Amino acid sequence: MTQSTFTDRNLGDVVDDMVGVEVDVDDGVANYSKGSFEGDQIIEGIGLGLEAIGVKDIERACQLAKNEGRNGSGSPSKTSPVSRVKQNSLPQKELIGEKQRFTVSLQEIKEGKKQKHGDEGEIREGMESYLNENFGDVKAKNSSEEALQRWRKLCWLVKNRKRRFRFTANLSKRFEAEAIRRSNQEKFRVAVLVSQAALQFIHGLNLSNEYTVPEEVEAAGFQIDPDELGSIVEGHDIKKLRAHGGVESIADKLSTSITNGISASEDSLNQRKRIFGINKFTESPVRGFWVFVWEALHDMTLMILAVCALVSLVVGIVMEGWPKGAHDGLGIVASILLVVFVTATSDYKQSLQFKDLDREKQKITVQVSRNGFRQKISIYDLLPGDVVHLCLGDQVPTDGLFLSGFSLLINESSLTGESEPVNVNALNPFLLSGTKVQDGSCKMLVTTVGMRTQWGKLMATLSEGGDDETPLQVKLNGVATIIGKMGLYFAVVTFAVLVQGLFSHKLQEGTHWTWSGDDAMEILEFFAVAVTIVVVAVPEGLPLAVTLSLAFAMKKMMNDKALVRHLAACETMGSATCICSDKTGTLTTNHMTVVKACICEEIKELSNSKGTLNFGSSIPISASRILLQSIFYNTGGEVVKSESNKTEILGTPTETAILEFGLQLGGDFQAEREALKIVKVEPFNSAKKRMGVVLELPEGGFRAHCKGASEIILAACDKFINSNGEVVPLTEASANHLKDTIEQFASEALRTLCLAYMDIGNEFSAEDPIPVEGYTCIGIVGIKDPIRPGVKESVAICRSAGINVRMVTGDNINTAKAIARECGILTDNGIAIEGPEFREKTDEELFELIPKIQVMARSSPLDKHTLVKHLRNTFREVVAVTGDGTNDAPALHEADIGLAMGISGTEVAKESADVIILDDNFSTIVTVARWGRSVYINIQKFVQFQLTVNIVALVVNFSSACLTGTAPLTAVQLLWVNMIMDTLGALALATEPPTDDLMKRSPVGRKGNFINNVMWRNILGQSLFQFVVVWYLQRSGKEVFHLDGPDSDLIVNTLIFNTFVFCQVFNEISSREMEKINVFKGILKNYVFVAVLTCTVFFQIVIIEFLGTFANTTPLTWQQWFVSILFGFLGMPIAAALKLIPVGSN
């Protein structure tokens, strides 16, 4: 083991007697800036962790660290990105993916004790410590399979596994999907090798095709059947493809045209669907309501109670006859059925919401040629024979064959697990469904669809794999487990004490040797009470309330133009401390027009098409010809005629603006494109900030055009076109004039692009790279993209909510600064920096710089990824990132919340994202943050409410059983209480809509404890009050209400039950606000809350007044009702008084 002392490393900013040490374990080796040790011995504890890094003497380690953490001036160094550890914080072990980070407080180890924060602090710290250690491994994103397995094993006390784990990942299905991927990987690798071998032999051979067309296929007008097509593409069978005559022959056999596509007539489409199938994978059928009823019945405690009810019915009827002897048993049965149906209804509605969201997630459109026209259709409408147009960032929607295209790189990792991209061209024309276009563009012939593709089979399996559970769901499963264990213990002791009390009573009477049916019924009732204590004690509703709240929020966010792809994103967004936003399309409208241009040394404002046409006529003909050639060839867009014969421009907003400019100059897109042959295309790349094309000229030779970021393209030029249309050397004065023009355009918040060309002689082939210098500058265009309405207000809301907004854009720094100031992002204290400068900074410089960065311009995707990584790991921020391009995928994946643009975003970006912003609007991101906070707060409210009920119900029955030998709350009553606090409580509190006040408080961030001091104060205070009330009624109820006679115990117990329920009703109202006194604000707007409260009170009256024989209650007088409601109401002023007691948030 190589030991490393503190002096080997730069430990900065050490707080007096405490130092924070981080050990990162990656692939079995612990890494420091110097020195490492073999990590076969896993660090199990903090002591071992310290020993492993060579710290033997704690006193000396602290002293060394203090000395090392100071700079030359003796002041603390602030450049070290060592994570800060609060003094007195508990040692904490976190598992992040495959990494283990140990954060150690040396002062605590040195002292050998923990600071005492009073009983409440100990309870909270103890629970948080347990939860973090055992249930803190699951992260909001990218959790390991081990972490997902581990927490499930820890939850051994589960009443109903079908229900508890319904909305968690189905790990067995995921393993199945992984096996399919591995099988695909092997299959495709073998197929490629076979194809390569076959190619060596089939050149020059006349291949005979012994294939016979099935009669049904031939009768439908096709010459090839789906199985044959599938075997060609999936098997990469080049030999069979050649035997069929190649790709064009396959197109003929599919009765399609490679230029015009298939006929869109209904009969033709129906024939194709009948023969080849549709492009949908088999989904699990929608489960009906009765399935949820059946699953709700699988609750173990309810099943035990059902057995108790059955025994009670049999014994009761034998002893007392029908119907009197059946009352107790029927009461339990009725309660069980009520719980089951209410639970099933809630779960069924949730499942429908998730189904709707799944449908929204699958809405993907592609561009196809049908009937000779380009059009957008859903991927589910694709059929064999369709001609699909794919470009950078698209997902290949079906299996197919390459028709034509340029520089096509396909990423097959989603299908095979292989990360290395594959070159697809005429020699290797096979395209597989589910893969991604990593670079280039192409036209594809659809051959195989739906479940005939490997992707269809994989998706059918993956769709059953489910979404990862969220950290909050897992943590609350941990809380449920802790309380469940306590409840089980209390239940066993309660049962033992009650039975012992009965036995003592019989012993005193001398009847301990004679046992009657009444005694058996009493023991059965004791057992039912014990089981029902477990029902109440295991708060199954806690983790399910998270799902309920998230489902509700996701549905509402869908209406607000935000599609949540991963449940955890809702939850995490509530903790966000920083948003890194794109500029184009997110802060701006993405409706672009060329408003200024500098061509042939003339700067012209272009306010309308007439002005542009006049400007075009003033440009020398030779320059105009080159300009139009550059605009119409070097583009990712296209000008097409629609079915109504209207001219449509397809492409990104930037490409659309440039093409529109070309058309307004008098250019003809189709005529221009038919004049020359394209040899090579390099699509726009956000890392290079440029795109290029090489054309073969009719008179011989080649010409390259390039377009991109103005300063980058201008730097590649050594010539320019002057006012006479002549190509002249680019002098320093001319270069400065063009640079000034760029800055002038940018300072007016215009997006600038530079167009350039060069003639490259006769020595160019499609394999050669496009030249990067030696160009002639054609001109510079300024594109206006106005700011979206409401962005400035949204940025201000984020600031007041403690969320920092940073702009990360590929645009010119002056354009970025102008827009950032207009939006309110760039302030006087903020810094705007360019990507190349950011890249050169050391870690120490970044540590000082990043907190001040508000704008990053000319950034590459790697810069964005680096910024996000530093914000998350070094500054412990919860980061939301927006992205639209394929290259944004790593940053979206790295961020806590990836936000993809629904309109401008590529399929690759959307798949890497957690939330899709359907309208590409920054204001929608703020809405997502508001909903995220609402979810977090709502779940906290519900947890506070449910834990209060848990504690009181447990303590009341346990203490009463121990002290009086009876339980005041019966099985039926506890089942009703359980439903109030579980399903109904979750419905009421977990579905509160967000308020504007939510965006006026600081974010929770990464370090906040979920069950905080405020909650513990409210839980313990309210529990104490309710316990005192119930205990007072139990001890003094008879005297206060002057009760005597045979029914006095029943009346007191009914009073206790009634008071207890009304305590929960008013506590539910108090729980609407955890810190504010006014809990009635907006209560009438929440119809669900009002409905739940009304139903609870209505059914409570029915239970007391009319269902006494089943629920062991008796009708109460109006005075007794008044006292019950009064005691319940007193909980509200008590709750208000508790909120005045100051406690820290954590």
Side-chain angles (χ1 to χ4, degrees):
M1 182 186 291
T2 307
Q3 291 193 346
S4 169
T5 64
F6 279 110
T7 49
D8 287 333
R9 284 159 282 143
N10 173 27
L11 289 175
D13 202 17
V14 180
V15 184
D16 295 336
D17 291 327
M18 190 277 292
V19 85
V21 183
E22 283 200 339
V23 185
D24 276 349
V25 181
D26 195 358
D27 296 327
V29 179
N31 302 304
Y32 313 109
S33 53
K34 294 184 184 175
S36 66
F37 73 95
E38 296 300 319
D40 350 342
Q41 305 96 342
I42 302 297
I43 305 171
E44 280 298 332
I46 291 161
L48 286 173
L50 288 168
E51 195 177 318
I53 59 171
V55 181
K56 304 287 186 187
D57 184 340
I58 302 297
E59 286 289 341
R60 184 169 172 276
C62 286
Q63 191 56 48
L64 279 171
K66 271 191 271 185
N67 294 341
E68 189 68 11
R70 310 239 168 213
N71 56 25
S73 63
S75 60
S77 163
K78 292 186 180 172
T79 57
S80 169
V82 174
S83 100
R84 272 61 182 149
V85 182
K86 287 184 184 174
Q87 196 164 3
N88 301 330
S89 67
L90 285 170
Q92 198 177 13
K93 182 172 84 173
E94 299 176 68
L95 185 73
I96 303 180
E98 295 175 348
K99 291 191 169 190
Q100 293 176 338
R101 178 171 284 110
F102 295 87
T103 310
V104 181
S105 167
L106 291 179
Q107 180 66 13
E108 287 177 3
I109 298 166
K110 183 171 73 176
E111 290 176 358
K113 62 182 181 180
K114 295 194 289 281
Q115 288 283 340
K116 301 291 181 187
H117 301 291
D119 292 342
E120 183 185 301
E122 283 183 34
I123 293 169
R124 183 184 64 76
E125 290 287 3
M127 184 177 273
E128 281 293 338
S129 175
Y130 172 83
L131 291 175
N132 285 332
E133 192 170 335
N134 294 286
F135 294 89
D137 305 357
V138 176
K139 303 300 165 194
K141 289 174 75 166
N142 315 320
S143 292
S144 65
E145 296 290 341
E146 291 77 18
L148 297 178
Q149 289 275 20
R150 185 165 176 257
W151 78 265
R152 285 165 169 74
K153 290 174 185 169
L154 289 167
C155 288
W156 57 271
L157 189 66
V158 177
K159 294 191 292 184
N160 187 345
R161 300 193 79 82
K162 279 183 179 291
R163 186 165 184 251
R164 175 82 78 91
F165 298 118
R166 181 184 293 132
F167 296 109
T168 56
N170 185 333
L171 299 180
S172 62
K173 283 291 177 187
R174 291 189 176 188
F175 291 137
E176 208 177 301
E178 199 49 49
I180 292 174
R181 278 202 184 95
R182 281 196 298 273
S183 157
N184 287 343
Q185 187 177 356
E186 200 53 45
K187 188 193 298 178
F188 296 144
R189 190 184 286 128
V190 170
V192 168
L193 291 172
V194 170
S195 294
Q196 287 170 347
L199 275 173
Q200 305 296 320
F201 296 100
I202 63 178
H203 284 301
L205 294 178
N206 286 323
L207 295 169
S208 61
N209 183 15
E210 296 173 3
Y211 169 71
T212 307
V213 185
E215 287 180 18
E216 186 190 9
V217 174
E218 197 166 13
F222 308 111
Q223 297 301 310
I224 191 166
D225 73 292
D227 293 331
E228 182 75 357
L229 279 170
S231 68
I232 292 171
V233 179
E234 196 178 306
H236 285 58
D237 197 331
I238 199 84
K239 186 178 174 184
K240 198 179 274 188
L241 178 63
R242 293 283 174 91
H244 275 285
V247 177
E248 290 193 16
S249 177
I250 294 281
D252 290 338
K253 291 181 178 187
L254 281 169
S255 300
T256 187
S257 158
I258 58 174
T259 51
N260 295 331
I262 63 175
S263 162
S265 72
E266 199 168 330
D267 289 344
S268 168
L269 296 178
N270 288 336
Q271 283 278 42
R272 285 182 194 275
K273 286 177 187 175
R274 186 172 61 81
I275 299 294
F276 298 102
I278 56 172
N279 195 32
K280 287 187 179 177
F281 59 85
T282 308
E283 293 184 71
S284 51
V286 178
R287 298 195 298 174
F289 173 72
W290 292 105
V291 175
F292 289 93
V293 171
W294 175 246
E295 287 188 357
L297 283 166
H298 279 71
D299 189 309
M300 185 59 67
T301 49
L302 292 185
M303 284 195 271
I304 295 169
L305 283 174
V307 173
C308 290
L310 184 65
V311 174
S312 175
L313 273 170
V314 172
V315 176
I317 291 168
V318 169
M319 295 292 297
E320 300 179 57
W322 176 270
K324 191 180 178 186
H327 288 160
D328 288 348
L330 289 176
I332 297 174
V333 170
S335 302
I336 290 170
L337 289 175
L338 184 63
V339 168
V340 163
F341 276 95
V342 171
T343 303
T345 303
S346 173
D347 291 350
Y348 177 61
K349 285 190 173 177
Q350 271 185 67
S351 77
L352 292 179
Q353 285 183 321
F354 282 121
K355 211 72 183 165
D356 290 345
L357 288 163
D358 282 341
R359 282 194 202 98
E360 287 295 331
K361 288 180 198 174
Q362 292 164 6
K363 284 185 179 175
I364 302 171
T365 58
V366 286
Q367 287 200 359
V368 299
S369 291
R370 278 189 180 177
N371 279 352
F373 297 105
R374 280 276 284 272
Q375 52 193 279
K376 275 189 175 182
I377 66 168
S378 165
I379 60 167
Y380 300 114
D381 295 331
L382 287 174
L383 293 166
D386 265 321
V387 175
V388 178
H389 301 260
L390 297 173
C391 59
L392 178 68
D394 283 346
Q395 178 174 304
V396 180
T398 64
D399 284 0
L401 294 166
F402 174 91
L403 289 171
S404 61
F406 300 97
S407 315
L408 189 63
L409 272 182
I410 297 290
N411 184 330
E412 296 184 346
S413 59
S414 56
L415 197 59
T416 66
E418 283 282 0
S419 55
E420 199 62 36
V422 177
N423 262 307
V424 176
N425 47 40
L427 294 175
N428 175 35
F430 307 108
L431 288 155
L432 297 169
S433 177
T435 57
K436 313 288 187 308
V437 180
Q438 190 165 313
D439 203 359
S441 59
C442 78
K443 269 168 53 173
M444 175 187 97
L445 174 69
V446 173
T447 57
T448 321
V449 294
M451 289 302 291
R452 294 181 187 275
T453 68
Q454 277 301 319
W455 182 247
K457 293 164 194 167
L458 182 63
M459 285 306 292
T461 308
L462 270 178
S463 67
E464 294 179 48
D467 208 353
D468 274 4
E469 48 270 26
T470 76
L472 217 48
Q473 276 176 314
V474 174
K475 238 179 188 180
L476 291 180
N477 266 295
V479 174
T481 303
I482 295 169
I483 296 169
K485 287 176 183 175
M486 288 166 52
L488 194 61
Y489 169 77
F490 274 76
V492 170
V493 173
T494 303
F495 180 67
V497 168
L498 288 171
V499 171
Q500 188 268 337
L502 175 66
F503 190 77
S504 299
H505 178 67
K506 289 183 73 66
L507 202 61
Q508 285 172 2
E509 291 181 346
T511 58
H512 55 283
W513 295 114
T514 55
W515 292 79
S516 65
D518 287 339
D519 295 331
M521 286 291 283
E522 206 165 344
I523 290 174
L524 190 66
E525 175 63 21
F526 293 161
F527 181 69
V529 167
V531 173
T532 317
I533 284 177
V534 177
V535 173
V536 176
V538 180
E540 205 90 315
L542 284 184
L544 295 169
V546 180
T547 316
L548 177 69
S549 189
L550 290 172
F552 173 75
M554 286 165 76
K555 186 76 176 170
K556 293 291 183 184
M557 283 161 73
M558 186 71 220
N559 298 336
D560 290 337
K561 301 295 181 189
L563 172 60
V564 179
R565 292 187 75 250
H566 300 132
L567 267 180
C570 272
E571 192 179 290
T572 315
M573 197 66 194
S575 310
T577 57
C578 169
I579 297 172
C580 295
S581 173
D582 276 346
K583 174 185 74 70
T584 308
T586 309
L587 299 169
T588 59
T589 59
N590 221 9
H591 294 146
M592 300 195 189
T593 45
V594 176
V595 293
K596 270 193 173 184
C598 174
I599 313 286
C600 298
E601 297 184 289
E602 185 186 353
I603 298 174
K604 186 83 173 175
E605 288 206 26
L606 312 166
S607 54
N608 53 44
S609 55
K610 192 176 178 183
T612 309
L613 192 61
N614 292 338
F615 176 51
S617 60
S618 67
I619 301 170
I621 292 171
S622 57
S624 178
R625 194 180 300 123
I626 289 285
L627 174 61
L628 290 173
Q629 197 178 86
S630 181
I631 288 172
F632 291 141
Y633 278 100
N634 191 20
T635 178
E638 204 165 339
V639 180
V640 297
K641 292 281 185 189
S642 68
E643 288 189 63
S644 56
N645 211 31
K646 282 186 179 177
T647 300
E648 284 186 14
I649 304 175
L650 306 173
T652 65
T654 308
E655 294 289 8
T656 304
I658 299 282
L659 286 171
E660 192 173 13
F661 175 56
L663 294 174
Q664 287 175 351
L665 286 170
D668 184 331
F669 180 84
Q670 299 299 343
E672 194 73 51
R673 289 291 287 244
E674 287 166 9
L676 302 173
K677 181 187 173 187
I678 297 174
V679 178
K680 186 179 179 77
V681 173
E682 279 185 6
F684 181 80
N685 185 306
S686 53
K688 296 177 186 173
K689 304 263 182 278
R690 63 196 291 164
M691 66 187 293
V693 63
V694 176
L695 309 174
E696 188 176 348
L697 301 173
E699 62 271 16
F702 298 90
R703 177 173 292 159
H705 285 275
C706 80
K707 172 178 78 184
S710 299
E711 57 270 39
I712 293 171
I713 303 299
L714 188 60
C717 295
D718 55 16
K719 297 179 280 296
F720 77 108
I721 300 175
N722 68 9
S723 55
N724 298 320
E726 299 163 348
V727 175
V728 295
L730 185 65
T731 62
E732 190 175 342
S734 305
N736 287 337
H737 169 69
L738 289 170
K739 284 176 186 172
D740 290 344
T741 302
I742 292 167
E743 286 196 19
Q744 180 199 328
F745 285 11
S747 63
E748 294 171 25
L750 300 182
R751 188 174 200 181
T752 64
L753 288 178
C754 184
L755 309 172
Y757 82 100
M758 72 181 290
D759 290 322
I760 49 179
N762 299 311
E763 303 299 318
F764 186 84
S765 76
E767 285 71 42
D768 296 336
I770 296 178
V772 292
E773 56 186 15
Y775 282 88
T776 300
C777 177
I778 301 169
I780 293 154
V781 294
I783 301 172
K784 186 164 184 63
D785 187 11
I787 285 184
R788 284 184 180 275
V791 164
K792 192 169 184 178
E793 293 80 0
S794 297
V795 171
I797 289 169
C798 284
R799 263 190 218 293
S800 67
I803 302 171
N804 289 321
V805 181
R806 292 176 170 89
M807 179 198 285
V808 184
T809 177
D811 240 334
N812 177 293
I813 191 161
N814 292 320
T815 309
K817 281 159 78 172
I819 297 236
R821 281 203 183 92
E822 204 177 328
C823 294
I825 292 172
L826 185 59
T827 60
D828 295 338
N829 304 322
I831 290 175
I833 191 171
E834 287 189 309
E837 187 187 343
F838 177 79
R839 264 166 256 159
E840 300 300 317
K841 301 290 182 186
T842 63
D843 280 355
E844 285 76 14
E845 288 172 321
L846 287 177
F847 192 72
E848 290 284 341
L849 187 68
I850 284 175
K852 299 172 190 170
I853 292 176
Q854 290 176 338
V855 175
M856 191 193 290
R858 287 290 177 237
S859 68
S860 69
L862 189 62
D863 297 330
K864 188 188 269 192
H865 185 263
T866 305
L867 176 65
V868 171
K869 204 169 178 181
H870 274 290
L871 285 168
R872 288 188 72 231
N873 299 341
T874 306
F875 297 95
R876 310 299 292 156
E877 297 229 31
V878 179
V879 186
V881 171
T882 70
D884 54 11
T886 305
N887 292 310
D888 288 325
L892 292 170
H893 189 74
E894 174 71 28
D896 294 287
I897 310 105
L899 304 159
M901 300 297 110
I903 299 168
S904 60
T906 62
E907 286 309 317
V908 173
K910 288 176 190 176
E911 198 168 272
S912 300
D914 306 294
V915 180
I916 298 172
I917 306 300
L918 297 173
D919 59 356
D920 289 17
N921 194 340
F922 184 80
S923 301
T924 305
I925 298 171
V926 179
T927 304
V928 174
R930 186 185 281 113
W931 271 108
R933 289 190 175 193
S934 175
V935 165
Y936 197 87
I937 296 287
N938 285 350
I939 296 167
Q940 281 187 317
K941 292 174 190 174
F942 175 65
V943 169
Q944 175 185 297
F945 170 69
Q946 188 164 39
L947 290 186
T948 305
V949 187
N950 279 138
I951 291 168
V952 179
L954 275 177
V955 173
V956 164
N957 263 21
F958 175 73
S959 59
S960 179
C962 292
L963 296 173
T964 68
T966 60
L969 298 174
T970 67
V972 173
Q973 291 166 3
L974 281 173
L975 279 172
W976 171 234
V977 168
N978 178 64
M979 198 168 72
I980 292 173
M981 72 171 190
D982 194 324
T983 310
L984 296 179
L987 274 171
L989 290 169
T991 57
E992 283 269 346
T995 61
D996 291 337
D997 292 342
L998 287 174
M999 297 305 279
K1000 291 175 186 169
R1001 59 175 76 189
S1002 297
V1004 177
R1006 204 176 288 281
K1007 296 172 187 171
N1009 289 332
F1010 179 71
I1011 304 179
N1012 56 31
N1013 283 356
V1014 170
M1015 292 169 71
W1016 279 119
R1017 175 198 65 194
N1018 296 343
I1019 290 166
L1020 296 175
Q1022 190 67 228
S1023 299
L1024 181 63
F1025 160 72
Q1026 290 187 19
F1027 177 69
V1028 168
V1029 166
V1030 172
W1031 192 246
Y1032 170 74
L1033 285 173
Q1034 195 164 15
R1035 301 295 293 172
S1036 310
K1038 289 181 183 179
E1039 290 81 5
V1040 172
F1041 290 98
H1042 311 294
L1043 298 173
D1044 49 25
D1047 289 338
S1048 57
D1049 285 336
L1050 181 60
I1051 294 169
V1052 168
N1053 284 347
T1054 304
L1055 259 173
I1056 290 170
F1057 169 56
N1058 204 33
T1059 304
F1060 183 66
V1061 167
F1062 276 99
C1063 280
Q1064 306 328 314
V1065 169
F1066 287 105
N1067 185 31
E1068 202 160 350
I1069 298 170
S1070 297
S1071 296
R1072 290 189 73 241
E1073 288 288 349
M1074 291 191 294
E1075 294 182 75
K1076 289 185 180 176
I1077 304 291
N1078 183 4
V1079 292
F1080 294 102
K1081 186 179 177 183
I1083 192 169
L1084 295 177
K1085 290 180 183 175
N1086 188 349
Y1087 305 120
V1088 177
F1089 188 90
V1090 173
V1092 166
L1093 277 193
T1094 307
C1095 287
T1096 305
V1097 172
F1098 173 76
F1099 279 113
Q1100 181 63 19
I1101 293 168
V1102 170
I1103 287 168
I1104 298 291
E1105 295 296 322
F1106 305 107
L1107 299 176
T1109 48
F1110 297 103
N1112 297 98
T1113 59
T1114 187
L1116 299 176
T1117 64
W1118 71 265
Q1119 293 96 334
Q1120 290 162 349
W1121 271 104
F1122 176 76
V1123 169
S1124 298
I1125 296 169
L1126 178 66
F1127 274 133
F1129 175 76
L1130 281 176
M1132 292 190 72
I1134 296 286
L1138 285 169
K1139 289 170 186 174
L1140 297 174
I1141 301 171
V1143 290
S1145 61
N1146 282 309

